[in-house]
Amino acid sequence: MNRITSFLVQKPSSDPHPPKGHAKDYPLLRFRRERAGIVAETAERALSTVLRRSEPEYVLNDACLYEIRRLSESAPQEEVRQLGEWKRLWRHLGGRSREELMAELSRLVRDYAEDVAGGFSEPVYSLASSVLPRALALLLTPERLPSLGGHLLQPHKLDRFLGERLTLQGPIEQLQKLARRAALVCVPTHLSNLDSPVMGFALQAAGLPPSTYGAGKNLFTNPVLGFFMRNLGAYRVDRRIRHELYKDVLKTYSQVILERGYHSMFFPGGTRSRSGRVESHLKLGLLGTTMTATIEGLRRAAGLSPGPAVAPMYIVPVTINMQLVLEAETLIADYLKETGKARFIIDDDESTQWRRIVDFVRSTLSHTGAIVVRFSRPLDVLGNSVDEAGRSLGPRGQVVELANYFRWRGRTQHVPQRDAEYMQETGEAITRSYRRDTVLMATHLVAHVMWRRVCRALPKLDLYRRLRQPLDELLVPEAEVLGDIERLQALLQARGHILGPFAAGAPREVLDTALAAFSSYHSEPAVKRSPGSASAPSPASGPPAIVPGDRQLLFYYQNRVESLGVEL
Amino acid sequence: MSADSKSGEARPQPLVVAVIGGGRWARALAGTLAHNQQQAPERIARILHYRPPRDSERGAPADDLSLGADGDNPSLPATAGRAPDLGAIGSAPAPAVQKARIEPIELSELAQADLILLASPAATVRNLLRAASPYLSGNQALVHAIGSLAPAGESGSELLISYVVREETPLRRIGALAGPALAPDLEEFSPAALVCGSRYDDVGQALVDVLASPSLRVYTTQDLTGVEVARAGAAVIAMAAGVASSLDLGAPARAILITRGAAEMARLGVALGGEDKTFFGLAGIGELILATERRGSADFELGQLLGQGHKLAEALPRIGRVCDGPTMVREAFKLGQGLKLRMPLVTALHRWLAGELDTKQALAGLFGSENHRE
């Protein structure tokens, strides 16, 4: 725990500092020791799951066909098996004995488990969590800092500077307490490839333990990012592989690490929000492993299943709220493509361009309160709220026994149909948390105000025409924009929505913050001052006016507001 | 393999079933359970019967027809003690061969039940569930057989009964029962059918286990919302059919009410998250055919009295049973307005009951609305 924490936490609770000596209890610290056992257990249990469903020949056949098709259509990257191997395997499936097929299947499952499994290095964690942020700040914004030497002597000034850029909110004290005896499963909203490092930093700054998390395999191809991810608990999810065998291995891995008490993180939106909207539909496959792991724990506790005790699990929805989004331009362009052509995996966006990352980080470091990470109240795996002690609460606040929900007619067991329905309800509880705990930034407010102006200026047009129709004459007097911002603030606050740093301030401050942020990173800002006007009236220029800039970006940033069901 | 998973191969444990409600429908359900327990004791371990105090059943406002107004309220179900000859479906029940074991219980004893069948008036259901909540837990399932929406709760919106169960209790496994079966059908072992809507297959299967018999078919669907809206909507259409019957409008009028009524309720159901096919199955058309046809449907009889010119306040006591129609008309009208749905039938009935239309104008609304593609 370094000093950054004390400046980062915008005190929702009385004492953001975790107890001393707690850091050495982080479960991930034992990952390196347990890795081989985790891989072996994953392979064994996944194999057993697969064989309960089908014969080895059919499982292998299915995997071969999917992989041959995939690898024939797209260039292979880092693969568990190359195209030629899959073809050879497929050709000889028919002539092999059951034992040979079993051996082949076991090898494949083992290889997949090995491919998925992550790693964790304490030195790399220390480097990433304390040294790197300071180094980045010094390298990227030297003009904003006094001399390097002075900061080496007074590192707390640097920490304060960094802490002002990231604001933490939520029941952090309660989460710290729960983390000591339970596995926390953080489920953040997802806007950017920077979300993983932001969450990693936020957890550390909040005095919460580092967590393992699933990350797209494509992210590991970047040598620098890949190095850190491989050593900071990330496990690899190859979203190009669609056959059931791989999904079984992935889910089993997730379940095994949850059962072993590792804190985890999933992005249940599945992929970055292309539109900028707050997620309302979640992918619950991997998250469902919290439920199967919980049931396994209940069975073990009741002596119905062998194995060590399983710690309770709590789901913690998190909203990551950014003044600017690194990949905004690519994401919204992708979203606006014809339905069905949008790419699930984008591997050539701004997050792959060092220049853009540097620009973005510089811009973020230049603005106070640029990122807000807000932790929601923790939930149990059924989506129930929990009290300070972690006990599940029913709808009227009464304590309920979680184990009861998995017992029916004398049995405690995983019932796929029932548990899938339960998970749907958990997903709904998470999206409710997202909506409740989304923090709206100044850029979102100003974008929404200007987007509504565009809509009114171009009535009865569909979205695409609104984005493309020439609109040179839309100059909105600044006074009107300020009035709109004030009305929007009132509307949002009346509905209980949360306004972030500066977004809750005077309309003038909101506008200035948003304009400065937009112009500091995007080549064509979403909103800007009219070139022919001045920020203050003068005889030489017209009255101050605001104009929409890049309308796709305008739409993107305003979507954060609109997805909460609010419209000015 | 663990002992538990070994037992997974065996027959599931028999259920303890509790029935809540003091009305005829609740007693008919309990009677069916009692009969089935005699036939297949391996499916039903015990039958519990909680009869809410009459005061709580009568707690509804005077203009709300959901209040329990049972004329006869014996403590045991109508069929208790009788074990009919199932070979003679539809004939008079056979003499009693064995006393059924139905245990009257206090509210706190609901904790013993695996499956709860809720058949109390919609007007009192929220208070009842709130009182029962401390004794309920996540290992129980609840299936309601309430043919109306719940009155507005603290949120101010009219709600499906399943929403109220979720709001007031820790229960998750919730179902709703609907279909062409009236209390007399169950009491007399006439052929009848019910459909249980629940998102949880376990719940549907449990209902089949405890209620199905040679004279009563039990189907299942995952469309809980559709079943709830269809059943509640039947009360509206039954009332309209009663009016049409009192005016001797004939069979075509009834056919129109059934088909267009089902379509109207389907619009409402789909808007609330249901599936339209449910409204053209047992819970929809199936229940409508029965409810608009004959004896037994309190709402049909209420419609007849209203059609004859009686005021609502006079007609209700004469029926002497729970009538969900007027409540449902009011709630469906509000929902339809909020959701911007075209609901000519509900609108005409609502305005007629509110005194904004006379009977002739209401009939024009019922049968003479604009022509367009079906």
Side-chain angles (χ1 to χ4, degrees):
Chain A
M1 177 73 183
N2 62 41
R3 286 195 201 86
I4 292 175
T5 305
S6 59
F7 300 105
L8 282 173
V9 180
Q10 272 201 343
K11 296 196 172 181
S13 54
S14 56
D15 178 15
H17 296 274
K20 285 186 166 51
H22 174 57
K24 292 298 173 192
D25 299 335
Y26 293 165
L28 262 177
L29 295 180
R30 55 184 156 83
F31 187 85
R32 186 183 285 274
R33 208 167 53 242
E34 293 188 354
R35 188 180 186 282
I38 289 171
V39 170
E41 185 181 349
T42 300
E44 186 188 330
R45 287 171 59 174
L47 186 64
S48 148
T49 303
V50 166
L51 291 175
R52 271 202 298 275
R53 199 173 53 231
S54 191
E55 286 294 308
E57 184 180 350
Y58 297 142
V59 177
L60 286 168
N61 188 56
D62 186 55
C64 286
L65 288 176
Y66 269 100
E67 286 301 275
I68 289 169
R69 190 185 307 150
R70 176 175 74 84
L71 293 169
S72 303
E73 287 170 358
S74 61
Q77 295 168 7
E78 191 192 342
E79 305 293 347
V80 170
R81 295 269 196 286
Q82 296 302 320
L83 178 60
E85 292 177 76
W86 285 112
K87 283 184 172 172
R88 268 195 301 282
L89 176 61
W90 186 61
R91 272 199 299 273
H92 297 109
L93 277 181
R96 296 197 179 180
S97 67
R98 186 179 160 79
E99 287 69 31
E100 288 172 320
L101 292 169
M102 276 297 295
E104 193 63 58
L105 184 58
S106 300
R107 268 198 299 278
L108 186 56
V109 168
R110 171 91 196 184
D111 289 348
Y112 274 142
E114 189 64 52
D115 186 62
V116 166
F120 186 81
S121 158
E122 197 176 353
V124 176
Y125 175 66
S126 299
L127 175 78
S129 58
S130 59
V131 180
L132 267 187
R134 296 178 196 190
L136 267 177
L138 288 169
L139 284 172
L140 296 175
T141 56
E143 73 282 2
R144 297 182 66 86
L145 295 165
S147 71
L148 179 65
H151 272 280
L152 288 176
L153 293 172
Q154 291 181 296
H156 65 277
K157 282 192 179 172
L158 184 52
D159 291 346
R160 180 191 292 277
F161 168 77
L162 280 172
E164 285 168 352
R165 271 62 197 161
L166 172 66
T167 306
L168 297 185
Q169 298 178 350
I172 291 171
E173 209 173 341
Q174 182 191 13
L175 298 176
Q176 288 171 345
K177 283 182 190 159
L178 289 177
R180 282 172 222 148
R181 57 175 196 77
L184 296 189
V185 180
C186 285
V187 286
T189 53
H190 197 12
L191 284 169
S192 165
N193 280 337
L194 293 181
D195 288 345
S196 305
V198 165
M199 272 306 294
F201 185 63
L203 288 173
Q204 196 263 349
L208 293 170
S211 72
T212 177
Y213 63 100
K217 195 171 176 178
N218 51 316
L219 296 179
F220 286 80
T221 52
N222 181 311
V224 179
L225 199 58
F227 168 78
F228 282 107
M229 291 173 74
R230 261 190 292 278
N231 287 288
L232 292 175
Y235 58 91
R236 299 200 284 189
V237 180
D238 194 337
R239 289 178 292 173
R240 299 166 306 154
I241 304 180
R242 298 299 179 90
H243 56 75
E244 289 300 314
L245 174 63
Y246 180 75
K247 291 179 188 171
D248 283 330
V249 173
L250 199 55
K251 285 183 188 172
T252 308
Y253 178 81
S254 173
Q255 184 172 337
V256 167
I257 55 177
L258 284 167
E259 286 170 11
R260 288 176 178 239
Y262 289 99
H263 304 289
S264 285
M265 183 166 74
F266 303 106
F267 290 103
T271 184
R272 290 168 291 175
S273 169
R274 298 292 192 264
S275 62
R277 300 174 73 88
V278 180
E279 288 94 334
S280 56
H281 297 289
L282 306 182
K283 292 181 184 295
L284 302 169
L286 270 184
L287 191 58
T289 57
T290 56
M291 199 166 286
T292 47
T294 298
I295 296 169
E296 178 63 19
L298 294 170
R299 289 175 59 82
R300 288 183 189 176
L304 300 169
S305 195
V310 174
M313 269 153 244
Y314 298 104
I315 294 172
V316 186
V318 182
T319 59
I320 302 176
N321 308 278
M322 296 178 163
Q323 193 88 270
L324 296 170
V325 176
L326 169 67
E327 310 96 314
E329 291 159 42
T330 303
L331 293 175
I332 191 62
D334 195 64
Y335 173 77
L336 292 169
K337 283 181 184 167
E338 277 182 83
T339 312
K341 288 187 180 173
R343 294 170 292 172
F344 190 59
I345 302 169
I346 300 177
D347 50 16
D348 55 358
D349 58 34
E350 293 85 341
S351 67
T352 63
Q353 301 160 22
W354 283 109
R355 184 67 239 170
R356 295 302 300 268
I357 294 175
V358 168
D359 287 349
F360 178 82
V361 175
R362 278 179 67 104
S363 165
T364 299
L365 289 176
S366 304
H367 295 101
T368 302
I371 301 174
V372 178
V373 173
R374 186 177 174 91
F375 295 90
S376 296
R377 289 194 302 271
L379 308 169
D380 69 15
V381 295
L382 287 170
N384 293 312
S385 300
V386 300
D387 64 11
E388 288 290 320
R391 294 176 302 177
S392 301
L393 300 175
R396 289 262 158 209
Q398 70 275 43
V399 174
V400 296
E401 183 57 56
L402 187 66
N404 282 337
Y405 291 89
F406 304 107
R407 193 158 61 232
W408 178 240
R409 303 183 89 162
R411 298 178 197 155
T412 297
Q413 61 186 24
H414 169 51
V415 178
Q417 194 277 334
R418 178 200 67 198
D419 296 340
E421 287 298 329
Y422 279 162
M423 210 58 225
Q424 283 293 332
E425 296 199 37
T426 306
E428 287 160 18
I430 293 170
T431 54
R432 280 197 298 275
S433 292
Y434 284 169
R435 290 168 63 85
R436 193 171 51 236
D437 284 326
T438 288
V439 180
L440 293 165
M441 313 294 268
T443 45
H444 304 139
L445 266 56
V446 172
H448 184 72
V449 161
M450 288 304 291
W451 176 251
R452 293 304 304 154
R453 289 283 176 160
V454 169
C455 292
R456 283 196 287 274
L458 300 171
K460 296 178 184 173
L461 293 185
D462 64 19
L463 171 64
Y464 292 90
R465 288 186 183 177
R466 275 194 182 136
L467 290 170
R468 288 171 193 152
Q469 191 95 341
L471 196 60
D472 298 334
E473 70 283 9
L474 186 65
L475 261 87
V476 187
E478 197 170 298
E480 289 184 25
V481 174
L482 295 175
D484 284 358
I485 291 172
E486 194 168 8
R487 282 196 300 127
L488 181 59
Q489 285 175 316
L491 185 62
L492 290 164
Q493 284 171 330
R495 296 196 185 180
H497 294 298
I498 301 163
L499 300 178
F502 306 111
R508 161 74 58 197
E509 187 182 29
V510 176
L511 181 62
D512 288 346
T513 304
L515 291 176
F518 281 135
S519 63
S520 69
Y521 171 60
H522 294 299
S523 47
E524 170 66 9
V527 181
K528 55 191 178 183
R529 282 208 159 82
S530 166
S533 72
S535 57
S538 74
S541 60
I546 306 298
V547 293
D550 183 326
R551 254 177 281 169
Q552 290 196 4
L553 279 179
L554 186 66
F555 177 64
Y556 175 85
Y557 283 105
Q558 79 86 33
N559 271 340
R560 209 71 182 161
V561 176
E562 200 176 277
S563 61
L564 299 178
V566 175
E567 190 176 287
L568 189 66
Chain B
M1 187 180 281
S2 70
D4 194 52
S5 54
K6 277 178 192 163
S7 71
E9 309 296 325
R11 177 180 285 278
Q13 178 177 296
L15 291 161
V16 177
V17 190
V19 178
I20 300 178
R24 192 174 179 186
W25 182 230
R27 286 181 285 122
L29 287 170
T32 304
L33 292 170
H35 167 254
N36 285 354
Q37 189 193 28
Q38 289 172 337
Q39 301 297 313
E42 73 282 2
R43 288 191 286 170
I44 303 175
R46 292 168 66 200
I47 304 164
L48 314 176
H49 181 208
Y50 173 69
R51 197 172 143 238
R54 287 178 72 87
D55 283 351
S56 74
E57 294 214 0
R58 289 180 180 281
D63 64 340
D64 189 331
L65 296 188
S66 291
L67 56 94
D70 255 340
D72 54 344
N73 234 339
S75 59
L76 280 183
T79 51
R82 295 202 304 247
D85 175 6
L86 293 178
I89 290 172
S91 64
V97 293
Q98 186 185 335
K99 188 77 175 172
R101 293 187 298 117
I102 296 175
E103 307 166 37
I105 57 164
E106 297 298 317
L107 193 62
S108 61
E109 293 172 275
L110 282 174
Q112 300 168 24
D114 299 307
L115 173 65
I116 297 165
L117 303 183
L118 174 64
S120 59
T124 61
V125 77
R126 184 179 291 277
N127 286 340
L128 175 64
L129 288 168
R130 191 171 293 178
S133 182
Y135 313 112
L136 303 177
S137 63
N139 59 337
Q140 297 174 303
L142 181 146
V143 178
H144 78 82
I146 299 172
S148 183
L149 297 177
E154 284 144 20
S155 60
S157 59
E158 295 67 38
L159 295 167
L160 299 178
I161 300 294
S162 60
Y163 294 2
V164 181
V165 180
R166 282 289 274 120
E167 279 183 3
E168 298 293 340
T169 76
L171 301 177
R172 289 287 182 96
R173 285 176 271 204
I174 302 165
L177 213 49
L182 296 173
D185 300 318
L186 301 192
E187 290 161 3
E188 294 164 15
F189 297 92
S190 304
L194 290 168
V195 57
C196 174
S198 175
R199 288 168 63 178
Y200 297 91
D201 289 352
D202 283 349
V203 178
Q205 186 55 51
L207 250 288
V208 172
D209 285 355
V210 302
L211 277 185
S213 74
S215 63
L216 179 64
R217 287 183 150 203
V218 179
Y219 293 80
T220 60
T221 170
Q222 291 188 346
D223 184 14
L224 169 61
T225 301
V227 168
E228 288 188 285
V229 177
R231 173 144 166 76
V236 176
I237 312 304
M239 203 171 75
V243 177
S245 163
S246 71
L247 299 174
D248 287 329
L249 295 182
R254 179 173 161 247
I256 293 168
L257 285 173
I258 290 173
T259 49
R260 297 316 304 159
E264 198 163 311
M265 290 304 144
R267 280 197 287 276
L268 179 59
V270 169
L272 292 172
E275 299 170 30
D276 61 355
K277 69 178 183 184
T278 303
F279 294 82
F280 302 96
L282 279 177
I285 293 280
E287 182 144 329
L288 287 180
I289 289 172
L290 184 62
T292 58
E293 187 253 338
R294 58 159 187 160
R295 72 194 168 95
S297 164
D299 291 296
F300 182 83
E301 290 175 23
L302 177 67
Q304 281 185 312
L305 289 176
L306 295 175
Q308 288 159 14
H310 294 280
K311 298 288 178 204
L312 195 58
E314 301 164 19
L316 282 172
R318 290 181 61 169
I319 302 295
R321 281 176 290 140
V322 175
C323 294
D324 292 313
T327 310
M328 183 57 200
V329 167
R330 187 182 65 215
E331 307 299 359
F333 177 76
K334 277 197 269 184
L335 272 173
Q337 294 267 301
L339 296 165
K340 296 186 171 58
L341 299 174
R342 197 170 59 80
M343 303 188 77
L345 221 156
V346 166
T347 305
L349 278 171
H350 178 74
R351 296 183 64 193
W352 181 59
L353 287 174
E356 295 171 20
L357 301 178
D358 61 26
T359 306
K360 192 176 170 189
Q361 289 169 319
L363 284 175
L366 288 177
F367 298 106
S369 57
E370 74 273 31
N371 303 307
H372 51 80
R373 287 172 72 96
E374 188 172 30

